Amino acid sequence: MRKIIFIGKSGAGKTTLTQKIKDEPMHYHKTQYINYHDIVIDTPGEYAENASLASALALYSYEADVVGLMISALDDFSLFPPNITCLVNREVIGIVTHIESNGAYPERAERWLRLSGCKKVFHLDSKSGKGVKKLVDYLIK
């Protein structure tokens, strides 16, 4: 299985998705540092939200085979600028989370990810499990 690094703002669902992929019990805990697992690199949202910490994401992306840019379907803005994926020498995919939440707007989140340069975008909800298998199957390729 290819290793993926999850990058997104706080609350995007990076840790919850990591727990689901690893088949761990789901419980909330704030990610304080980069968690390096066998198949997932889980990053704190603050690293994507703060330019002075973002260089750590660039360094850890070299440890991954795939970069996963994550946006919640509940978000009202994107952290990722247009065409950012061209700066990465890894495959970059988009992941829209919280698709089953009240008020979710997954189409908008997907548009933002595509504007950022993501050619492949997955829609999922980690709590229900919807769409998670498609992502895992893609990483197994």
Side-chain angles (χ1 to χ4, degrees):
M1 180 182 264
R2 297 181 291 169
K3 184 182 289 276
I4 186 167
I5 184 170
F6 293 142
I7 299 174
K9 71 180 201 172
S10 297
K14 299 175 299 295
T15 300
T16 304
L17 180 55
T18 298
Q19 291 170 353
K20 188 69 170 182
I21 288 173
K22 293 176 55 107
D23 199 26
E24 293 178 345
M26 308 230 356
H27 63 281
Y28 176 78
H29 74 274
K30 176 71 187 101
T31 303
Q32 299 293 321
Y33 51 88
I34 294 177
N35 292 305
Y36 191 94
H37 304 286
D38 51 349
I39 56 174
V40 175
I41 303 171
D42 182 17
T43 66
E46 290 79 7
Y47 282 46
E49 296 165 354
N50 186 325
S52 64
L53 299 172
S55 59
L57 295 175
L59 291 174
Y60 271 92
S61 71
Y62 289 106
E63 300 292 325
D65 303 303
V66 178
V67 174
L69 300 183
M70 295 178 68
I71 298 179
S72 168
L74 299 170
D75 286 348
D76 53 3
F77 68 93
S78 170
L79 289 178
F80 308 117
N83 299 312
I84 187 110
T85 62
C86 68
L87 300 175
V88 181
N89 67 353
R90 300 283 186 270
E91 178 184 8
V92 182
I93 62 171
I95 303 169
V96 178
T97 60
H98 302 114
I99 62 169
E100 294 187 333
S101 299
N102 288 335
Y105 193 176
E107 297 82 11
R108 177 177 60 190
E110 179 174 345
R111 280 196 307 270
W112 287 333
L113 288 166
R114 292 203 182 276
L115 182 62
S116 294
C118 297
K119 306 240 184 298
K120 183 88 175 150
V121 178
F122 294 88
H123 290 237
L124 55 86
D125 193 284
S126 297
K127 290 183 179 174
S128 71
K130 182 175 184 177
V132 174
K133 184 176 179 343
K134 285 183 182 179
L135 174 62
V136 170
D137 288 348
Y138 183 77
L139 294 172
I140 290 172
K141 288 186 195 179

